[in-house]
Amino acid sequence: MKIHHHGAKAGVTGSCHQLDTEWGSLLVDCGLFQGKEERPLEVEFPVEDISALILTHAHIDHIGRLPWLLAAGFNAPIYCTEATAALLPLMLDDGLRLQLGLDARQRSRVLELISRLTVAVDYGIWTQLGAPGNGCLQIRFQPAGHILGSAYIEVKTPNDEVVVFSGDLGPTNTPLLPDPESPERADVLILESTYGDKNHCSVESRAEQLKALVERSLEDGGAILIPAFSVGRTQELLFDLENIAANAFNETERRAWSRLPVILDSPLALEVTKQYRDFKALWGKEAKVRLAHGRHPLAFEQCVTIEKHRDHLALINRLKQSGEPALVVAASGMCNGGRILNYLSALLPDPRTDVILAGFQAHGTLGRELQQGKTEVEIEQEVVPVNAHIHTLSGYSAHAGKDDLLAFAQNISPHPQEIRLVHGEHRAQLSLARDLKSLLPKTLITLASES
Ligand SMILES: [Zn+2]
């Protein structure tokens, strides 16, 4: 058996891995390259022999090149979980509109074709790829705790070898989704390593940090801008904000919080949040407890949604003129596009503005430049001075931290024969490889960044 990496070899975008076996060839994910890793969208590898595409989750860096895969002639089943199948058209529609400028009719044609090929399957059930009894590959989706519908994929060959593709793994102890559990078996594990060299701060401390920032903003005014992927972090943030408001210390605090508008400036995030509400069965324990107490963790009163572009521009103007406190969540998560750019160019010069970077910022993105403390940045060919306060809240990452990744690998018994690290910068892969080698001395650890 052979595994090729068409993307996410030495970076975190463009995930696409191919497993070739004598029983067939599978593609796992087909994502977009972003930031410094950006490259032409055309699929440069042959697709005729690929018998299925398996999607780990609906983030654009895992599904974004799907239309180009079809354009290259791919015409085989696309397997994913039910929730990923529900998110797929929402996420792709946005990309087709923004990147290709397709009109509504053209977009719906592409999406129809994808939906015809899509086979949604439940978590935890082995699915045969091909006719039974013919010695075919089997796959199984297991919860990855990263975003709604996310899964790691187990692939079993007829001679009983198991290859596991981790996809993106979520951190442990987050309230909205259950923690990922290690697979029963993996002879070969393809493991993400986004935070292979770092741990995150805890969920309690992330909420405390968020609360302190909001309180300061309520006193001094100024907007709090949170660039976020429309799926994953946005819902985690809404979830925490509802909890902070619900647990207000006293009446004054409660009143102050009720005056703070929480603005979700993204039609896509609104749609995705609806899907999170529809798939409550996939929520974690704590989220289900809140529901049982009659609370609405993802739909609370002061949450305002902006859909029309006109309203979006009007709001930015108002915040710029008035300096009133407001918390705005807008895409994209790495500030390399989307509505967050207009907020940043209007509000970065204002020292009352706070920007909270809650997720991984890839090389070459505006988010990374802000994180590095640049005093001026370029946004759409204009130089913008940065007087705003830039904060990194690592606890909102949708990715497993270093210790979570180590535990995921270590709890597989017997230990894998090989672990191949993907989806991480070279430094993160090296650091995780070192730790894995000392924990699992008999396992061969290889780095996609060195392949
Ligand atoms: Zn992801």
Side-chain angles (χ1 to χ4, degrees):
M1 121 184 11
K2 274 209 170 107
I3 300 166
H4 311 274
H5 308 286
H6 302 301
K9 275 170 81 155
V12 298
T13 70
S15 269
C16 188
H17 312 289
Q18 186 170 341
L19 173 69
D20 288 335
T21 72
E22 59 185 280
W23 304 277
S25 184
L26 299 179
L27 204 61
V28 177
D29 292 338
C30 194
L32 212 60
F33 291 93
Q34 292 162 312
K36 212 173 118 193
E37 299 166 32
E38 220 165 286
R39 59 167 96 159
L41 291 158
E42 279 72 35
V43 167
E44 69 289 0
F45 50 88
V47 301
E48 302 75 44
D49 295 333
I50 298 171
S51 45
L53 167 67
I54 324 287
L55 298 177
T56 60
H57 65 292
H59 270 150
I60 213 71
D61 59 324
H62 291 255
I63 60 162
R65 286 215 290 171
L66 227 166
W68 286 269
L69 188 71
L70 298 180
F74 177 83
N75 189 27
I78 302 169
Y79 291 90
C80 60
T81 64
E82 300 268 0
T84 297
L87 292 173
L88 209 53
L90 299 175
M91 304 299 287
L92 286 174
D93 188 62
D94 215 48
L96 291 171
R97 189 170 51 86
L98 297 173
Q99 279 146 2
L100 287 181
L102 298 191
D103 65 28
R105 222 189 57 201
Q106 293 165 319
R107 296 199 306 269
S108 81
R109 277 210 192 126
V110 179
L111 296 177
E112 252 170 53
L113 178 57
I114 291 172
S115 121
R116 242 183 302 158
L117 296 175
T118 302
V119 184
V121 291
D122 283 335
Y123 284 109
I125 293 169
W126 284 108
T127 304
Q128 305 237 21
L129 306 182
N134 276 354
C136 56
L137 297 170
Q138 294 186 67
I139 56 161
R140 187 164 69 170
F141 291 88
Q142 299 284 22
H146 172 61
I147 60 165
L148 186 75
S150 64
Y152 64 80
I153 321 281
E154 300 168 298
V155 184
K156 191 152 67 175
T157 67
N159 60 359
D160 228 22
E161 268 185 304
V162 179
V163 183
V164 173
F165 292 86
S166 75
D168 288 359
L169 292 174
T172 48
N173 300 321
T174 57
L176 193 44
L177 292 174
D179 294 349
E181 282 174 25
S182 302
E184 289 159 7
R185 226 188 101 192
D187 299 300
V188 180
L189 169 65
I190 311 299
L191 180 64
E192 71 122 319
S193 57
T194 318
Y195 287 98
D197 54 349
K198 264 188 218 92
N199 279 311
H200 307 309
C201 75
S202 70
V203 168
E204 299 78 48
S205 99
R206 78 177 191 189
E208 271 163 35
Q209 286 173 302
L210 180 66
K211 186 166 182 246
L213 280 172
V214 173
E215 277 164 358
R216 208 188 68 202
S217 162
L218 285 170
E219 273 171 31
D220 312 349
I224 300 174
L225 306 179
I226 309 186
F229 279 126
S230 302
V231 48
R233 199 158 306 119
T234 299
Q235 291 74 29
E236 289 275 342
L237 279 161
L238 294 180
F239 194 81
D240 269 10
L241 288 165
E242 188 271 346
N243 197 39
I244 296 171
N247 292 324
F249 183 62
N250 55 33
E251 203 39 49
T252 326
E253 205 177 69
R254 206 181 319 276
R255 240 177 288 137
W257 269 87
S258 66
R259 282 202 314 272
L260 176 84
V262 173
I263 298 154
L264 194 54
D265 191 347
S266 159
L268 176 60
L270 176 72
E271 291 296 319
V272 169
T273 307
K274 278 187 201 148
Q275 295 297 333
Y276 264 77
R277 293 203 296 265
D278 285 355
F279 282 95
K280 288 189 186 82
L282 301 178
W283 289 15
K285 228 185 266 162
E286 196 180 328
K288 285 182 179 160
V289 168
R290 287 189 206 173
L291 269 183
H293 284 99
R295 281 166 53 186
H296 302 283
L298 291 178
F300 50 99
E301 260 170 44
Q302 73 228 65
C303 186
V304 187
T305 311
I306 306 278
E307 292 198 57
K308 293 202 177 86
H309 195 69
R310 199 178 50 220
D311 298 339
H312 155 77
L313 294 177
L315 175 70
I316 291 177
N317 251 331
R318 200 178 95 197
L319 294 178
K320 191 174 172 181
Q321 305 300 334
S322 69
E324 64 194 279
L327 190 146
V328 182
V329 183
S332 75
M334 297 193 276
C335 312
N336 51 337
R339 287 187 173 180
I340 195 70
L341 288 185
N342 292 334
Y343 284 98
L344 292 170
S345 59
L347 300 172
L348 278 178
D350 187 337
R352 291 171 300 182
T353 304
D354 290 284
V355 180
I356 301 182
L357 299 170
F360 190 85
Q361 307 296 319
H363 267 305
T365 59
L366 175 59
R368 183 77 152 230
E369 288 183 11
L370 291 172
Q371 203 165 41
Q372 285 167 336
K374 291 235 164 118
T375 52
E376 46 178 51
V377 289
E378 202 182 300
I379 302 177
E380 282 162 353
Q381 283 95 47
E382 293 216 3
V383 176
V384 180
V386 182
N387 298 316
H389 296 271
I390 313 293
H391 314 266
T392 297
L393 286 197
S394 72
Y396 282 98
S397 172
H399 281 274
K402 181 178 90 170
D403 289 347
D404 297 327
L405 292 170
L406 292 172
F408 185 81
Q410 199 184 11
N411 291 334
I412 303 171
S413 174
H415 292 152
Q417 290 156 24
E418 180 182 351
I419 298 179
R420 181 152 337 157
L421 301 180
V422 295
H423 200 287
E425 289 173 358
H426 185 56
R427 201 189 45 199
Q429 292 190 15
L430 271 180
S431 163
L432 188 63
R434 244 189 334 261
D435 291 337
L436 282 169
K437 270 178 198 154
S438 61
L439 274 180
L440 316 174
K442 291 192 182 133
T443 301
L444 171 71
I445 314 286
T446 53
L447 276 62
S449 59
E450 291 178 352
S451 68

